[in-house]
Amino acid sequence: MFYRVNMATLAVTKEAGEQYKGLAGRALTSRIVKTEVDANAHALGRLNKLVLAPGFLTGTFAPNAGRMSFGAKSPLTGTIKESNVGGFIGHKLGRCGVTAIIVEDTASDDKMYTIVVTKDGIKLEECPELKGLNIYDASAKLQQKYGAKAGIATIGTAGENKMASACIGATDQDGEPTRQAGRGGLGAVMGSKGLKAIVVDDAGAANIPFVNEEAFRAGAKKLAKALTTHAVTGQGLPTYGTNVLVNILNEAGGLPTRNFTEGRFEGANDISGETMYETIKARGANPTHACSPGCIIRCSQTYKDKDGKMITGGLEYETCWGFGADLGINNLDDIAYMNRLCDDYGVDTIEMAVTLGVAMEAGVAKFGDSKAAIELIHEMGKATPLGRILGAGATVTGKVYGVSRVPAVKGQGIPAYDPRAVKGVGVTYATTTMGADHTAGYVVATNILGISGKTDPLAAEGQVDLSRNFQIATSFIDATGLCLFVAFAILDIPEGMEGIVEMCNARYGWNYTLNDYLEMGKEVLRDERAFNKAAGFGDDSDDLPDFFRHEPLKPHNVVFDISKEELKQVFNF
């Protein structure tokens, strides 16, 4: 069922959504945004829409199928944006029979509202007690009101202040708001609507029906076997989390250090997954944790300080890199605290880290000074003039301070992998429809990890084709509600991908082939590119900042040398 929530009239209506039949997750959010949002509308104005959509498999017992999509026009990039999140909320939306929620217009008063979803439908409730609260306190109050088992997504003060890098924080299975729809500033879109939170209580909801449950179970078994037997999803990620990549990227010379001036960080091991694992174990926290129902990879964790007090959870590689190597900081406790602050204020850790790197290059603080970095995050949280500059992201901060080395594409900061040393992901950064986004086409898997073959990450040959294929497949995976990390296993174990196809078909009674689903992935990209073109982003906007082409990166002394004409071939399908 599709629900429309008009924030100006406070009316809630439901419809069958026939025009969007056969779509879910990112495929659905992008189609709705492309169809219903004026590409030239202001991202924080009444004409933008915020769309929520679980995936095809979200809410079922499929392994690692706890994801959902938020979609809108991005205030950070001006392009279309889908931001993907785990935790409890997507699973519960799926169980409540929600196909999509489309939030329209903006509140006509200065009040804040909560969308409450149950098996019986949805309603809007005023929530004056939440206004001005950050995400941890807001989530706690919502749990007191709606129960500890409710799935919650909310914004902090960064979203209320409509900062372009604001995220949406979602609770995990333990009720902690450690999962983020991070990139693109969709928390600011939510704030602009007057929407503080979405609460989902699936109590009493019937189990999701299947056209062929036996075939669904068989497909789920195939995917589960692939995930548990593959070295990355069965061993590496469950033990060390995504932060296992710090030492790997450092060795490869692709770990961006001190605002992308070098490819290796002398303090890499201090902030690595291996060190984080040992630290967590020594302090009695949990190094292996599932963020959402049905997760069998369990790459999340909880992190305590030296006194045993909980700091944060879900520390990702990109965050440890950003507040670590990119800022020249090698203190895990300070990195964990910065992650906590960003999760609480409600701002994307990647964008904030890249922004602080630009600010440090400008002399606002010194590289390596973690205390100064923490204070700058607080400036953003307090929405001081300096804080508003930082909250607007790396591109704006670079312009304000006259910095030429600003690692961003279409206004969004480049994360965690230097495109000169990992050229496949450089192609993705340059061409993805949503600004620099590693998850849009994670060619790191092949360039660095040797999954589905091995390519030379320093060579230009073959990278365009790789990025194209990854972007197509990712667009489909984002429609299923599966965690993107299943890609590690299914790229090497074909039975895993067979299982995904079989589950989608068995749930809905379809008879689609893998090629049919990949065609859906292509259609997602066509929708997104059509929106971007209407918003003024043509093929010539698909490129990296010029310093990547002219400044050699140590230790390999390489530049990004894939031509602009080659980049234009990524979407030649």
Side-chain angles (χ1 to χ4, degrees), residues 7 15 76 83 139 226 246 250 351 358 372 423 446 462 472 499:
M7 298 304 298
E15 60 191 60
L76 185 70
S83 194
S139 296
V246 165
N250 197 58
E351 193 64 38
V358 171
K423 292 184 178 177
T446 302
I472 292 168

Side-chain angles (χ1 to χ4, degrees), residues 82-212:
E82 181 263 2
S83 194
N84 203 277
V85 71
F88 239 175
I89 185 170
H91 177 81
K92 290 177 177 288
L93 277 174
R95 281 182 39 79
C96 287
V98 173
T99 306
I101 299 173
I102 306 168
V103 184
E104 303 176 321
D105 218 318
T106 58
S108 56
D109 49 33
D110 194 35
K111 298 175 181 178
M112 300 296 291
Y113 294 88
T114 297
I115 291 175
V116 181
V117 184
T118 68
K119 66 179 179 62
D120 300 317
I122 73 175
K123 60 182 178 180
L124 268 176
E125 294 185 353
E126 189 182 342
C127 54
E129 73 280 7
L130 301 182
K131 191 170 184 179
L133 294 184
N134 285 315
I135 287 176
Y136 273 83
D137 286 343
S139 296
K141 281 188 175 291
L142 289 166
Q143 287 164 346
Q144 290 172 4
K145 183 174 182 179
Y146 298 103
K149 294 183 178 180
I152 295 168
T154 186
I155 57 172
T157 51
E160 288 189 33
N161 288 321
K162 304 172 194 173
M163 293 186 178
S165 58
C167 67
I168 302 169
T171 53
D172 64 15
Q173 294 190 97
D174 297 329
E176 297 289 335
T178 61
R179 316 314 307 175
Q180 313 298 326
R183 311 230 66 195
L186 298 196
V189 177
M190 191 163 156
S192 74
K193 301 295 179 192
L195 182 61
K196 179 67 176 182
I198 303 110
V199 176
V200 188
D201 179 2
D202 63 342
N207 289 333
I208 289 175
F210 307 95
V211 173
N212 188 337

Side-chain angles (χ1 to χ4, degrees), residues 15-16 33 46 58 89 104 205 247 287 301 348 352 478 493 542 565:
E15 60 191 60
V33 172
R46 59 178 298 272
T58 309
I89 185 170
E104 303 176 321
N247 279 333
Q301 72 293 122
D348 177 28
M352 179 52 60
D478 286 343
I493 305 173
D542 290 344
E565 289 306 311

Side-chain angles (χ1 to χ4, degrees), residues 447-475:
N447 277 185
I448 300 296
L449 301 177
I451 292 171
S452 188
K454 184 70 168 73
T455 55
D456 181 356
L458 303 177
E461 292 75 20
Q463 306 293 3
V464 166
D465 291 340
L466 266 176
S467 180
R468 177 193 305 114
N469 292 336
F470 269 82
Q471 290 193 58
I472 292 168
T474 298
S475 298

Side-chain angles (χ1 to χ4, degrees), residues 181-254:
R183 311 230 66 195
L186 298 196
V189 177
M190 191 163 156
S192 74
K193 301 295 179 192
L195 182 61
K196 179 67 176 182
I198 303 110
V199 176
V200 188
D201 179 2
D202 63 342
N207 289 333
I208 289 175
F210 307 95
V211 173
N212 188 337
E213 185 170 342
E214 183 178 354
F216 190 95
R217 289 186 179 277
K221 187 175 181 180
K222 285 184 178 181
L223 178 58
K225 183 178 180 181
L227 294 176
T228 54
T229 57
H230 194 274
V232 173
T233 53
Q235 299 169 36
L237 287 174
T239 304
Y240 300 116
T242 61
N243 203 27
V244 70
L245 288 167
V246 165
N247 279 333
I248 294 172
L249 266 295
N250 197 58
E251 178 64 26

Side-chain angles (χ1 to χ4, degrees), residues 119-429:
K119 66 179 179 62
D120 300 317
I122 73 175
K123 60 182 178 180
L124 268 176
E125 294 185 353
E126 189 182 342
C127 54
E129 73 280 7
L130 301 182
K131 191 170 184 179
L133 294 184
N134 285 315
I135 287 176
Y136 273 83
D137 286 343
S139 296
K141 281 188 175 291
L142 289 166
Q143 287 164 346
Q144 290 172 4
K145 183 174 182 179
Y146 298 103
K149 294 183 178 180
I152 295 168
T154 186
I155 57 172
T157 51
E160 288 189 33
N161 288 321
K162 304 172 194 173
M163 293 186 178
S165 58
C167 67
I168 302 169
T171 53
D172 64 15
Q173 294 190 97
D174 297 329
E176 297 289 335
T178 61
R179 316 314 307 175
Q180 313 298 326
R183 311 230 66 195
L186 298 196
V189 177
M190 191 163 156
S192 74
K193 301 295 179 192
L195 182 61
K196 179 67 176 182
I198 303 110
V199 176
V200 188
D201 179 2
D202 63 342
N207 289 333
I208 289 175
F210 307 95
V211 173
N212 188 337
E213 185 170 342
E214 183 178 354
F216 190 95
R217 289 186 179 277
K221 187 175 181 180
K222 285 184 178 181
L223 178 58
K225 183 178 180 181
L227 294 176
T228 54
T229 57
H230 194 274
V232 173
T233 53
Q235 299 169 36
L237 287 174
T239 304
Y240 300 116
T242 61
N243 203 27
V244 70
L245 288 167
V246 165
N247 279 333
I248 294 172
L249 266 295
N250 197 58
E251 178 64 26
L255 187 71
T257 298
R258 297 182 186 88
N259 194 33
F260 289 71
T261 57
E262 300 177 65
R264 283 188 178 146
F265 178 45
E266 68 281 0
N269 191 59
D270 296 333
I271 63 171
S272 68
E274 294 85 347
T275 298
M276 187 171 77
Y277 174 83
E278 295 298 335
T279 302
I280 289 171
K281 289 283 285 185
R283 295 176 179 178
N286 188 359
T288 303
H289 180 267
C291 81
S292 58
C295 173
I296 59 178
I297 297 177
R298 306 182 314 280
C299 69
S300 186
Q301 72 293 122
T302 57
Y303 191 98
K304 295 180 179 179
D305 66 15
K306 294 176 182 177
D307 299 320
K309 181 181 178 181
M310 173 75 170
I311 299 179
T312 191
L315 264 176
E316 303 285 356
Y317 159 66
E318 288 77 18
T319 299
C320 292
W321 154 78
F323 292 135
D326 196 49
L327 305 186
I329 292 169
N330 66 337
N331 185 308
L332 262 179
D333 285 352
D334 286 344
I335 291 169
Y337 184 59
M338 285 187 270
N339 185 71
R340 168 67 178 239
L341 287 178
C342 289
D343 284 357
D344 198 19
Y345 288 130
V347 68
D348 177 28
T349 58
I350 296 175
E351 193 64 38
M352 179 52 60
V354 176
T355 299
L356 293 182
V358 171
M360 286 180 172
E361 176 147 323
V364 177
K366 293 181 179 180
F367 284 107
D369 189 343
S370 59
K371 300 299 183 282
I374 289 168
E375 285 306 311
L376 289 175
I377 295 173
H378 282 306
E379 288 288 314
M380 181 279 304
K382 291 182 289 188
T384 64
L386 171 58
R388 283 193 169 276
I389 292 169
L390 300 173
T395 298
V396 168
T397 299
K399 288 180 179 178
V400 169
Y401 285 100
V403 176
S404 61
R405 187 188 295 106
V406 178
V409 177
K410 299 181 180 73
Q412 182 161 270
I414 293 176
Y417 313 88
D418 197 295
R420 291 164 288 193
V422 192
K423 292 184 178 177
V425 82
V427 176
T428 296
Y429 290 153

